[in-house]
Amino acid sequence: MKALIIAEHAAAAAELVAGARTMADEVVAISFGGAYECGADKVLNITVPEGLTVDSAVDTVNAAFDAENPEVVLVEACRHMKVIAGSLAFHAVKALAKRHIGGVKAI
């Protein structure tokens, strides 16, 4: 099983990775603005342009989710990560629906 960790701060990432190790064989972490050592098997660094907030990287996080195809996602509990988590949840449900029921119609 693969776990994806999304964290803005290195200390939180390390805690999430430790928790993910109890349920996953492989752990991938997403960092923002600079890679950090957190114990993950792989760290994906997303650079956010100056003047933008971390939560503006939702499209890149969604693409990383698609590429990594994790079974579980753990997210740091902070304001920007909550925005990312909400966007990712919506994206994942849409992708799952497309795979299993042939598409999602706009309401």
Side-chain angles (χ1 to χ4, degrees):
M1 179 189 300
K2 183 187 283 191
L4 180 66
I5 304 303
I6 306 172
E8 189 173 5
H9 304 97
E15 288 181 29
L16 291 170
V17 167
R21 290 266 179 229
T22 66
M23 62 183 102
D25 304 321
E26 182 181 359
V27 179
V28 178
I30 293 178
S31 71
F32 299 90
Y36 43 66
E37 178 54 45
C38 61
D41 298 308
K42 177 167 49 169
V43 177
L44 307 173
N45 182 40
I46 297 174
T47 302
V48 179
E50 193 170 328
L52 296 177
T53 59
V54 172
D55 48 346
S56 64
V58 294
D59 290 337
T60 307
V61 172
N62 291 347
F65 172 84
D66 291 341
E68 293 299 328
N69 196 26
E71 285 82 15
V72 66
V73 178
L74 302 177
V75 182
E76 178 183 0
C78 66
R79 186 173 54 122
H80 294 297
M81 296 301 100
K82 288 178 183 178
V83 171
I84 295 223
S87 173
L88 180 58
F90 179 75
H91 172 79
V93 168
K94 267 189 1 184
L96 186 62
K98 283 182 182 178
R99 264 186 260 148
H100 295 289
I101 57 176
V104 176
K105 293 184 180 179
I107 297 175

